[in-house]
Amino acid sequence: MASTGSVNPDLAKERQKSTFNNEELTYFLYGGPENTKRKRYLQNLAIQDLSKMKLKQYATLSREEQYEQELQKSAYCFTMQKKLELNNPLERFYFREAIMPHEPAPYHLHNSMFIDTINKMATEEQKEKWIPLAESYRLVGTYAQTELGHGSFLRGLETTATYDPRTKEFVINSPTITATKYWPGGLGKTANCCVVMAQLESNGRKLGMHSFLVQIRDLDTHQPLPGVTVGDIGNKFGYAGIDNGFLRLNNVRIPRENMLMKHTKILEDGTYIKPKSERLIYGAMTFVRAAIVGDVGRGLAKAATIAVRYSAVRRQSEIQPGAGEVQVLDFQTQQFRLFPQIANAYALLAAGRDMLLFYMKITAQIDKGALEELPQLHALSAGLKAVSSWVASEGVEVCRLACGGHGYSEASGLPKIYVDVTPACTYEGENNVMVLQTARYLIKCCNAVQQGEQVPSLMKFLQSPPGGSSTLDVRLNLPDLVAAFEHRAARMTREAAQKLQTATSQGKPAHQAWNANAVELAAAGKAFMESYIVRVFAENVSKFKGQLQPVMMALCRLHAVTGMTQNLGDFLKDGYISSQQAAMLQQRLLDLLTELRPNVVALVDAFDFPDAVLDSALGRWDGQVYEALYDYSLRSKLNEKQVLDAYYKYQRPFMESQWQKNSQPSVTSRL
Amino acid sequence: MASTGSVNPDLAKERQKSTFNNEELTYFLYGGPENTKRKRYLQNLAIQDLSKMKLKQYATLSREEQYEQELQKSAYCFTMQKKLELNNPLERFYFREAIMPHEPAPYHLHNSMFIDTINKMATEEQKEKWIPLAESYRLVGTYAQTELGHGSFLRGLETTATYDPRTKEFVINSPTITATKYWPGGLGKTANCCVVMAQLESNGRKLGMHSFLVQIRDLDTHQPLPGVTVGDIGNKFGYAGIDNGFLRLNNVRIPRENMLMKHTKILEDGTYIKPKSERLIYGAMTFVRAAIVGDVGRGLAKAATIAVRYSAVRRQSEIQPGAGEVQVLDFQTQQFRLFPQIANAYALLAAGRDMLLFYMKITAQIDKGALEELPQLHALSAGLKAVSSWVASEGVEVCRLACGGHGYSEASGLPKIYVDVTPACTYEGENNVMVLQTARYLIKCCNAVQQGEQVPSLMKFLQSPPGGSSTLDVRLNLPDLVAAFEHRAARMTREAAQKLQTATSQGKPAHQAWNANAVELAAAGKAFMESYIVRVFAENVSKFKGQLQPVMMALCRLHAVTGMTQNLGDFLKDGYISSQQAAMLQQRLLDLLTELRPNVVALVDAFDFPDAVLDSALGRWDGQVYEALYDYSLRSKLNEKQVLDAYYKYQRPFMESQWQKNSQPSVTSRL
């Protein structure tokens, strides 16, 4: 986009009047000045290199062109990541973000699930063979689990891998149409092999789900191998740059050595060696879920940046009749929509950082053989993935809708962010299933507390006595806010546990009792994750000093108070808060909007997204939004010709047929 | 999509076990057996004709192809509408729906806003000249109001129309980049003229916004006229089949007679004749808003049909371990997501019918010169448009997310519905602005009640005394539910009115007091519209007899109880309902899910959408969803070649550069 060099005066004024140094906040977000500098260096490098490649604006391309351009950009990205020796995952992430912001690209699963699964599930010997091939892109892989008729329920998968001891091979089959592997990213056109999850059968015994490395295309000609039917699954809600694929396997034979055998084995004669723990087989997903939290938080941060900057530039309607149009940021309803989204973004980024630290702590223990904390890690990562993706995807739409008509243009960048964030509600575990897994763990801990047993520190809130009332007052002390959320989560968990007990004591089988209370259990799981986010965010903002502290405190309060007023019934129902407190919260929420108003542009500037990462006409740093929108329009493919072929083909003949029928008075070409 | 002829057995079983005759419900929805028969005749005719045209599936096309195909389908649609002499707007709608379901098409604004505006704002003489030209497509028009920098605030528009008495012409100009007309549908490539809203200036006086007919393209060559810069605005979030456009006018001269002069005039010497009432100028939008209610309700009904049928077919996970995977419709959490959406769809359709009847009643009065009811009509149509589009667009996403991964495929039809429904939150008046207009009317009526004045019947609920408590019990009597919603709306209105009075009595100017309480005012406006919908729905279901009555009553209860539990704080806060009643409502909501479970497929079947209208692999009547999905995949453009040019251009060179760098052990084409 062309920049005129000058900054929109309304936006410049916003930056002048902020009360804190946003550079300091940026340093906090990126882990200090050095890391911030490094992140900027990497992103600027990518942006400059890309500008030389004369690429077309993503939003102006057709799907096929988007796929092709993602291949082109990926080649640059991964060549440079090696050249720069970027081994730190965060540095890799920032570099990639500057090249393909919210653009799922063809090698994405190759570099994540494919290589990760080999690293986690393959023997040392297998890794030695495959990892160098994968890292040098001789093999381009993906991870093929879900099937046309089967999603997250592993035991339901139909693809079979039958061991043939005569040839020492597995025979892989898609026995039905519903067994077709469906959705894996990069599978359609890009990958030449994949990790296939299949039902293992040996010596006539069914042995459950296992992973196999299956080559699907010739490594030289890229043509599908015999027995392989593979292709792209077609247009989707976003995800245009990646070839999610389908795969049918008809008696495809792979050597015995292609089963991933770190934890489990088939011997030459077909004897099956069990894993030490079933849990170890399904471990890879926990990290992915933990990483999603920060990812979707970053998506929301981008959407908030776009909407807040645009709302500072946009003047629309009058507050005082005749006094001229005002910045839409001055409308209370606009503040009420947007400011909580800024707060949510900061909250999710904090929770994401906390989650990754927790993950690293627990996996270090697991590597030493201590598996006790695995259930807690699983419960937390599942629930947090769910709640963060809900919050972020709803928040992105709130931001988009706050941009009026232009929020519907792809030039705004907002549809692109939404269609990239919303799938996180479904992939790596459907959100409702996830919060129910969290609830299962909560119930277990709740029962343990009842039995007087110890529970992990995160679950200590379940030990607080029921009842009581909140000490929350106009000061909105953070500990009072955290306590309110924990009280609610504990109450909802206890009530659900009570209902489960009542149902089973009345003779209902446990699984029926569970399903008959699933809505309340899911609500308890969600409430727990909300309390976790509020607590982590509160701990986070308490660390700030100086001018930043009151701003971040206000932001954290806004996050908590918004959550409370949106779920007011949960807090009023058992008398934990009074009607007076409820009215106070509603008034304080509005006060917080006013308090934060001078700082909102600085708060989104602090996210430090370069224009190329936002990829938005509305979110530009310089606020020259209308020039950018107009510029975008000129590039529409429909504008390549003044009068389209479609006019001669369908419009003109139709018009003429209508004139004739109606024997119109003759009109010249000018009215 | 190919049909195998047989119906999925799970879906067939659902239809057998329903307790009512869904044909009867269909008759109710379409206004009797005759109208239903007619609707089916028209839709089947269109579907059969279209199937002969060998069109490609919409979701498999590029944007340019979608635009072209919409032109092709539009030609069929409007030729046939004339041939069949379809003058009833509902019949035209059903016919069009079968041809272009949720596909905004190029002539859409020509046939609605363009012709409507001429009919309402032009003199008889002008109409005689222009309407035949428009109806015979010699003129293809659109309605150009919004500008790049200006949306719903009419006075902010910058386009100017300056009268030149010497030549008796208006000179139309876009003085700045922000004055560029932006977004009008069909403007980019299709239209050859448009109604332009512009600031009128005559004899040096600025005279406010008026409408002008401006020709923009040569009627024969279709080339833009001198001074006209026009084009498509580029890719959007959906809306691919229509060419929303931009337009810049540089000293474009039009004859004096091209100003739409029914209510207002410029005489030859430039003398301005004022309208009798300002209101009359802006009347056209009320009908459009009223019509949106049913439209978005129908969108939600389609999404619910797709998600419910798919959830009956889809088996995923076990409830009882080892007992096999169950229909996802049996999970309580899935019921909790979907069933309220069925209820919402029925509620919105009921509200839409009621709104149109009210519109017709009031406009008949207006035509007789009685303008008293206009403010009420305006308040109701604005607020209902807002709340219904919010409910529908959120509901469509709930349905999409309830379909797991496949909900992200365009084959599901759900993304297409979402991107068609969500714009209703913004067009024809941004929703927050709309509910604030409703609130303004509520406050006026609330003050009138305080003064002991009469208010229209819809506003009588404001006369009920404050305080009191609900008589709601487990039977969930509909009048108790309606009373609860009206109590809430009245309380919120009174509280907001009180705050406004306090603020102004403290010396705050009225406009500041308004903005400082806008969040609560908007909430009051929304609460009123929700009470209106509940009341209309309750009146509606009370009309049913026989087996249908208990089912529709349960659906209405579910709608109301879901609304109450989602906003529980509003009802608990002033003690109107007790904690015990709140707990009862939460339990009864779950009971209602169980009660409705046997009938949900019949309830969506009753909407009577042919497969071609749903345009969904997941929502097919026969439930053969996996065959349809697979079939869709095969048609992806990326599958036209086995190995794409992009492979040779970007993937292969990249891979080779990586092998070389890493001096890989040589591997043959087979692993």
Side-chain angles (χ1 to χ4, degrees):
Chain A
M1 291 166 207
S3 169
T4 62
S6 66
V7 173
N8 170 285
D10 282 328
L11 202 49
K13 217 175 291 165
E14 294 292 336
R15 288 179 177 131
Q16 277 159 18
K17 73 180 179 192
S18 80
T19 65
F20 69 94
N21 175 359
N22 55 307
E23 188 76 357
E24 205 183 313
L25 184 52
T26 303
Y27 292 163
F28 175 81
L29 286 172
Y30 291 96
E34 280 312 305
N35 287 339
T36 304
K37 215 174 130 187
R38 177 75 174 155
K39 174 244 159 199
R40 287 176 179 162
Y41 166 76
L42 291 172
Q43 294 204 325
N44 286 337
L45 176 67
I47 290 164
Q48 280 169 23
D49 282 353
L50 250 65
S51 74
K52 291 173 206 144
M53 287 163 74
K54 307 270 171 234
L55 300 176
K56 287 192 180 154
Q57 208 174 337
Y58 185 82
T60 66
L61 300 176
S62 72
R63 196 214 150 182
E64 298 71 39
E65 291 167 337
Q66 284 173 335
Y67 171 73
E68 184 167 317
Q69 189 160 296
E70 290 306 313
L71 275 180
Q72 183 184 5
K73 291 205 263 184
S74 297
Y76 165 77
C77 179
F78 298 117
T79 306
M80 284 299 286
Q81 284 190 351
K82 271 196 193 161
K83 196 167 151 191
L84 296 165
E85 294 174 9
L86 298 185
N87 295 317
N88 176 329
L90 272 175
E91 292 188 351
R92 293 172 72 89
F93 173 83
Y94 294 135
F95 190 71
R96 185 188 179 287
E97 182 187 59
I99 300 163
M100 296 171 273
H102 290 291
E103 294 162 19
Y107 307 128
H108 183 68
L109 266 84
H110 171 80
N111 286 307
S112 56
M113 286 298 282
F114 179 68
I115 291 182
D116 287 357
T117 306
I118 293 175
N119 273 324
K120 283 192 180 118
M121 311 293 246
T123 63
E124 289 306 315
E125 198 184 344
Q126 289 176 319
K127 281 198 262 185
E128 261 169 51
K129 182 176 174 194
W130 295 332
I131 292 293
L133 292 172
E135 290 192 334
S136 66
Y137 291 86
R138 181 67 178 157
L139 296 184
V140 176
T142 184
Y143 178 81
Q145 176 179 312
T146 51
E147 298 175 354
L148 193 45
H150 309 279
S152 52
F153 185 69
L154 279 182
R155 277 172 289 158
L157 297 178
E158 293 179 77
T159 303
T160 57
T162 310
Y163 185 64
D164 179 349
R166 289 168 311 165
T167 60
K168 296 179 186 111
E169 286 171 325
F170 293 101
V171 189
I172 318 276
N173 268 304
S174 314
T176 62
I177 184 168
T178 46
T180 307
K181 291 290 176 190
Y182 207 86
W183 278 107
L187 174 63
K189 308 306 289 184
T190 314
N192 55 26
C193 68
C194 51
V195 170
V196 170
M197 291 289 274
Q199 299 280 3
L200 172 61
E201 206 175 314
S202 182
N203 295 336
R205 285 173 58 215
K206 291 190 188 226
L207 298 157
M209 294 309 307
H210 291 76
S211 312
F212 304 85
L213 187 79
V214 181
Q215 186 185 345
I216 54 173
R217 288 178 181 267
D218 183 286
L219 301 190
D220 289 322
T221 66
H222 208 60
Q223 291 288 343
L225 297 184
V228 171
T229 308
V230 66
D232 175 77
I233 65 166
N235 291 349
K236 294 150 293 186
F237 196 38
Y239 270 55
I242 190 168
D243 52 323
N244 297 81
F246 66 85
L247 174 68
R248 293 188 53 77
L249 300 165
N250 181 20
N251 286 320
V252 171
R253 288 181 167 262
I254 58 167
R256 186 184 66 91
E257 292 79 8
N258 277 22
M259 174 170 155
L260 276 64
M261 299 216 253
K262 179 172 178 183
H263 301 297
T264 180
K265 272 189 182 49
I266 287 289
L267 303 183
E268 290 200 357
D269 66 352
T271 306
Y272 178 62
I273 310 292
K274 268 194 200 173
K276 265 187 266 176
S277 161
E278 285 289 335
R279 278 177 193 157
L280 290 169
I281 304 192
Y282 310 127
M285 217 164 252
T286 312
F287 174 74
V288 179
R289 286 181 191 151
I292 288 172
V293 182
D295 276 5
V296 297
R298 219 164 152 78
L300 180 54
K302 280 172 206 163
T305 304
I306 295 168
V308 168
R309 286 184 183 162
Y310 177 56
S311 298
V313 169
R314 174 74 168 167
R315 287 180 172 265
Q316 167 84 24
S317 298
E318 299 174 338
I319 290 178
Q320 185 181 347
E325 294 188 274
V326 301
Q327 291 171 286
V328 292
L329 213 43
D330 285 331
F331 286 99
Q332 193 187 46
T333 46
Q334 185 79 347
Q335 298 174 357
F336 181 67
R337 292 205 268 186
L338 287 185
F339 298 1
Q341 301 311 328
I342 307 173
N344 284 342
Y346 275 97
L348 292 183
L349 291 173
R353 287 190 302 269
D354 193 73
M355 180 75 232
L356 281 179
L357 291 175
F358 188 70
Y359 172 83
M360 288 190 273
K361 195 180 108 185
I362 305 297
T363 44
Q365 293 174 8
I366 293 170
D367 287 346
K368 291 179 197 148
L371 299 182
E372 303 82 44
E373 295 275 21
L374 195 57
Q376 195 188 347
L377 177 64
H378 174 78
L380 196 64
S381 65
L384 192 56
K385 176 268 187 193
V387 172
S388 62
S389 58
W390 272 326
V391 168
S393 60
E394 284 165 21
V396 171
E397 276 295 83
V398 169
C399 292
R400 189 180 64 73
L401 288 163
C403 291
H406 296 328
Y408 295 88
S409 171
E410 291 281 355
S412 72
L414 293 163
K416 181 188 181 193
I417 297 174
Y418 182 61
V419 296
D420 190 44
V421 168
T422 175
C425 295
T426 306
Y427 61 56
E428 314 304 342
E430 199 280 328
N431 277 359
N432 282 281
V433 176
M434 293 295 99
V435 287
L436 280 170
Q437 292 187 3
T438 307
R440 201 172 281 282
Y441 183 71
L442 286 174
I443 295 294
K444 214 178 118 195
C445 292
C446 188
N447 292 339
V449 167
Q450 278 195 336
Q451 308 290 320
E453 294 165 18
Q454 278 298 309
V455 289
S457 60
L458 272 175
M459 297 292 137
K460 298 279 187 216
F461 73 99
L462 291 169
Q463 294 172 339
S464 65
S469 59
S470 171
T471 52
L472 197 58
D473 61 27
V474 285
R475 292 169 302 171
L476 300 176
N477 285 330
L478 296 185
D480 288 335
L481 290 166
V482 174
F485 276 86
E486 293 193 336
H487 171 87
R488 165 182 175 239
R491 177 184 63 73
M492 290 168 77
T493 304
R494 275 192 288 260
E495 282 180 9
Q498 185 56 50
K499 287 192 181 172
L500 285 177
Q501 280 166 20
T502 307
T504 46
S505 72
Q506 288 168 350
K508 238 185 197 170
H511 64 270
Q512 275 181 27
W514 184 265
N515 189 40
N517 290 286
V519 167
E520 292 189 35
L521 286 159
K526 194 164 170 252
F528 164 64
M529 294 319 315
E530 287 168 356
S531 77
Y532 168 85
I533 295 170
V534 169
R535 191 177 52 68
V536 170
F537 193 18
E539 287 168 6
N540 230 269
V541 302
S542 305
K543 289 177 200 156
F544 287 101
K545 306 265 179 274
Q547 296 160 317
L548 246 176
Q549 203 196 35
V551 180
M552 294 307 286
M553 293 281 237
L555 203 62
C556 182
R557 287 188 178 109
L558 178 66
H559 172 73
V561 173
T562 304
M564 287 186 75
T565 53
Q566 277 171 352
N567 299 284
L568 206 51
D570 287 351
F571 298 91
L572 280 167
K573 203 177 153 197
D574 64 344
Y576 180 73
I577 72 161
S578 65
S579 297
Q580 289 72 30
Q581 283 171 314
M584 178 275 290
L585 286 172
Q586 286 174 319
Q587 184 53 50
R588 290 290 285 123
L589 196 159
L590 301 178
D591 299 341
L592 285 165
L593 299 178
T594 307
E595 185 181 340
L596 284 162
R597 170 66 185 85
N599 284 312
V600 288
V601 168
L603 282 168
V604 299
D605 280 351
F607 291 131
D608 203 52
F609 294 118
D611 278 351
V613 168
L614 293 174
D615 196 13
S616 165
L618 304 185
R620 297 164 62 95
W621 195 85
D622 66 6
Q624 302 293 350
V625 304
Y626 300 114
E627 292 76 2
L629 273 170
Y630 190 66
D631 189 44
Y632 167 80
S633 293
L634 295 178
R635 301 187 206 177
S636 168
K637 278 192 200 303
L638 290 185
N639 294 332
E640 284 170 9
K641 283 185 184 179
Q642 190 53 260
V643 181
L644 297 172
D645 298 346
Y647 173 79
Y648 300 110
K649 210 163 153 191
Y650 295 116
Q651 184 172 343
R652 185 81 190 177
F654 165 63
M655 291 164 79
E656 285 178 0
S657 75
Q658 298 297 308
W659 309 339
Q660 288 151 11
K661 236 173 252 164
N662 292 271
S663 56
Q664 268 320 298
S666 64
V667 176
T668 61
S669 63
R670 294 294 297 267
L671 191 56
Chain B
M1 292 166 203
S3 170
T4 63
S6 66
V7 172
N8 170 287
D10 283 328
L11 203 49
K13 217 176 288 164
E14 295 292 337
R15 289 179 175 132
Q16 276 157 21
K17 74 181 179 193
S18 80
T19 64
F20 69 93
N21 175 2
N22 54 308
E23 189 74 358
E24 205 182 312
L25 184 52
T26 304
Y27 292 163
F28 175 80
L29 287 171
Y30 292 95
E34 279 313 304
N35 287 339
T36 305
K37 214 175 133 188
R38 176 75 174 156
K39 173 243 161 201
R40 286 177 181 160
Y41 165 77
L42 291 172
Q43 294 205 324
N44 287 336
L45 176 68
I47 291 164
Q48 281 169 22
D49 283 352
L50 250 63
S51 75
K52 291 173 206 145
M53 287 162 74
K54 307 271 173 234
L55 300 177
K56 287 192 180 155
Q57 209 174 335
Y58 186 82
T60 67
L61 300 177
S62 72
R63 198 216 148 181
E64 297 73 39
E65 291 166 337
Q66 285 173 335
Y67 170 72
E68 183 167 321
Q69 191 160 294
E70 291 306 313
L71 275 180
Q72 184 183 5
K73 291 205 265 185
S74 298
Y76 166 77
C77 179
F78 298 115
T79 306
M80 284 299 286
Q81 285 191 352
K82 272 196 193 159
K83 196 167 150 188
L84 295 165
E85 293 173 9
L86 298 185
N87 295 317
N88 177 330
L90 273 175
E91 293 189 352
R92 293 172 73 90
F93 174 83
Y94 294 135
F95 189 70
R96 186 188 178 285
E97 182 188 59
I99 299 164
M100 296 172 272
H102 289 291
E103 294 162 20
Y107 307 128
H108 183 67
L109 266 83
H110 172 79
N111 286 306
S112 55
M113 285 298 282
F114 179 68
I115 291 182
D116 287 357
T117 306
I118 294 176
N119 272 323
K120 283 191 181 119
M121 312 292 245
T123 62
E124 289 307 313
E125 197 186 346
Q126 289 175 319
K127 280 198 264 185
E128 258 170 54
K129 181 174 174 196
W130 296 331
I131 293 291
L133 293 172
E135 289 192 336
S136 65
Y137 291 87
R138 181 67 178 158
L139 295 184
V140 176
T142 183
Y143 178 81
Q145 176 178 313
T146 53
E147 297 175 356
L148 192 45
H150 308 280
S152 51
F153 184 69
L154 279 181
R155 276 172 289 156
L157 297 177
E158 294 179 76
T159 304
T160 55
T162 310
Y163 184 64
D164 179 350
R166 290 166 309 163
T167 61
K168 296 179 188 111
E169 287 171 321
F170 292 102
V171 188
I172 318 275
N173 268 302
S174 314
T176 63
I177 184 168
T178 45
T180 308
K181 292 290 175 189
Y182 208 85
W183 278 109
L187 173 63
K189 308 304 290 186
T190 314
N192 55 24
C193 66
C194 51
V195 170
V196 170
M197 292 288 274
Q199 299 281 3
L200 172 62
E201 207 176 311
S202 182
N203 294 337
R205 286 173 60 215
K206 291 189 189 228
L207 298 158
M209 297 307 308
H210 291 76
S211 312
F212 303 85
L213 188 78
V214 180
Q215 184 184 347
I216 55 174
R217 287 178 182 269
D218 184 286
L219 300 189
D220 289 322
T221 66
H222 208 59
Q223 291 289 342
L225 297 183
V228 171
T229 308
V230 64
D232 176 77
I233 65 164
N235 291 348
K236 293 149 293 185
F237 196 39
Y239 271 55
I242 189 168
D243 52 324
N244 297 83
F246 66 84
L247 173 68
R248 292 187 55 74
L249 299 166
N250 182 20
N251 286 320
V252 172
R253 288 183 166 260
I254 57 168
R256 187 184 66 92
E257 292 77 11
N258 277 22
M259 175 170 157
L260 276 66
M261 301 213 249
K262 180 172 179 183
H263 301 297
T264 180
K265 271 189 183 49
I266 287 285
L267 303 183
E268 289 198 1
D269 66 352
T271 306
Y272 179 61
I273 310 292
K274 269 195 202 175
K276 264 187 265 176
S277 161
E278 284 290 332
R279 280 177 191 155
L280 290 169
I281 303 193
Y282 310 129
M285 218 163 249
T286 312
F287 174 74
V288 179
R289 286 181 191 151
I292 287 172
V293 182
D295 276 4
V296 297
R298 216 162 154 82
L300 180 55
K302 281 173 205 164
T305 303
I306 294 168
V308 167
R309 285 186 184 161
Y310 177 56
S311 297
V313 169
R314 175 73 169 168
R315 287 178 172 268
Q316 168 83 21
S317 300
E318 298 173 335
I319 290 178
Q320 184 180 349
E325 294 186 275
V326 300
Q327 290 171 284
V328 293
L329 214 42
D330 285 332
F331 287 98
Q332 193 186 47
T333 45
Q334 186 78 350
Q335 297 173 359
F336 181 67
R337 291 206 268 185
L338 287 184
F339 297 2
Q341 301 311 329
I342 307 173
N344 285 342
Y346 275 98
L348 293 184
L349 291 173
R353 286 190 302 270
D354 193 72
M355 180 74 234
L356 281 179
L357 291 176
F358 187 69
Y359 172 83
M360 288 189 277
K361 194 180 109 187
I362 305 298
T363 44
Q365 293 176 7
I366 293 170
D367 287 346
K368 290 181 199 145
L371 299 181
E372 303 81 44
E373 294 276 21
L374 195 58
Q376 193 186 351
L377 176 64
H378 174 78
L380 195 65
S381 65
L384 192 57
K385 175 272 188 188
V387 171
S388 62
S389 58
W390 272 325
V391 167
S393 61
E394 283 165 23
V396 171
E397 275 297 82
V398 169
C399 292
R400 189 181 64 74
L401 287 163
C403 291
H406 296 329
Y408 295 88
S409 171
E410 291 281 355
S412 72
L414 292 164
K416 181 187 180 195
I417 297 174
Y418 182 61
V419 296
D420 190 44
V421 169
T422 175
C425 295
T426 307
Y427 61 56
E428 315 303 343
E430 201 279 329
N431 276 359
N432 282 281
V433 176
M434 292 297 98
V435 287
L436 280 170
Q437 291 188 4
T438 307
R440 201 172 281 280
Y441 184 70
L442 285 174
I443 295 294
K444 212 178 119 196
C445 292
C446 187
N447 292 339
V449 166
Q450 277 194 336
Q451 308 291 322
E453 294 165 18
Q454 278 299 310
V455 289
S457 59
L458 271 175
M459 297 291 137
K460 298 275 186 219
F461 72 98
L462 291 170
Q463 294 171 337
S464 65
S469 58
S470 171
T471 52
L472 197 59
D473 61 26
V474 286
R475 292 169 301 172
L476 300 175
N477 285 330
L478 296 185
D480 287 335
L481 290 166
V482 173
F485 276 86
E486 293 193 337
H487 171 87
R488 168 182 174 241
R491 178 183 63 72
M492 290 168 76
T493 303
R494 276 193 287 258
E495 283 180 10
Q498 185 58 51
K499 287 191 183 174
L500 285 177
Q501 279 166 19
T502 307
T504 44
S505 72
Q506 288 167 350
K508 239 185 196 171
H511 63 271
Q512 276 181 26
W514 184 266
N515 189 40
N517 289 287
V519 167
E520 293 187 36
L521 286 159
K526 194 163 172 250
F528 164 63
M529 294 319 315
E530 287 168 357
S531 78
Y532 168 85
I533 294 170
V534 168
R535 190 177 52 69
V536 170
F537 194 17
E539 285 168 5
N540 231 270
V541 301
S542 306
K543 290 178 200 156
F544 287 101
K545 306 265 178 272
Q547 297 159 316
L548 246 176
Q549 202 197 35
V551 180
M552 294 308 286
M553 293 280 236
L555 203 62
C556 182
R557 288 187 177 109
L558 179 66
H559 172 73
V561 173
T562 304
M564 287 187 76
T565 54
Q566 279 171 353
N567 300 284
L568 205 50
D570 287 350
F571 298 92
L572 280 166
K573 204 177 152 197
D574 63 343
Y576 180 75
I577 73 161
S578 65
S579 297
Q580 290 71 31
Q581 282 171 314
M584 178 276 289
L585 286 173
Q586 286 174 319
Q587 184 53 50
R588 289 290 284 123
L589 195 161
L590 301 178
D591 300 341
L592 285 166
L593 298 178
T594 308
E595 185 181 339
L596 284 163
R597 171 67 185 84
N599 284 314
V600 286
V601 168
L603 281 168
V604 298
D605 281 352
F607 291 130
D608 203 52
F609 295 118
D611 279 352
V613 168
L614 293 174
D615 195 13
S616 166
L618 305 183
R620 295 163 63 93
W621 196 85
D622 67 6
Q624 302 294 348
V625 303
Y626 299 114
E627 292 76 3
L629 273 170
Y630 191 66
D631 189 44
Y632 167 78
S633 294
L634 296 178
R635 300 186 207 177
S636 168
K637 276 191 201 301
L638 289 184
N639 295 331
E640 284 170 8
K641 284 185 184 179
Q642 190 53 261
V643 180
L644 297 172
D645 298 346
Y647 174 80
Y648 300 110
K649 208 163 155 192
Y650 294 115
Q651 184 172 344
R652 185 80 190 176
F654 165 63
M655 291 164 77
E656 285 179 358
S657 74
Q658 297 298 307
W659 309 338
Q660 287 151 10
K661 237 171 253 167
N662 293 270
S663 58
Q664 268 318 298
S666 64
V667 176
T668 61
S669 65
R670 294 294 297 266
L671 192 59

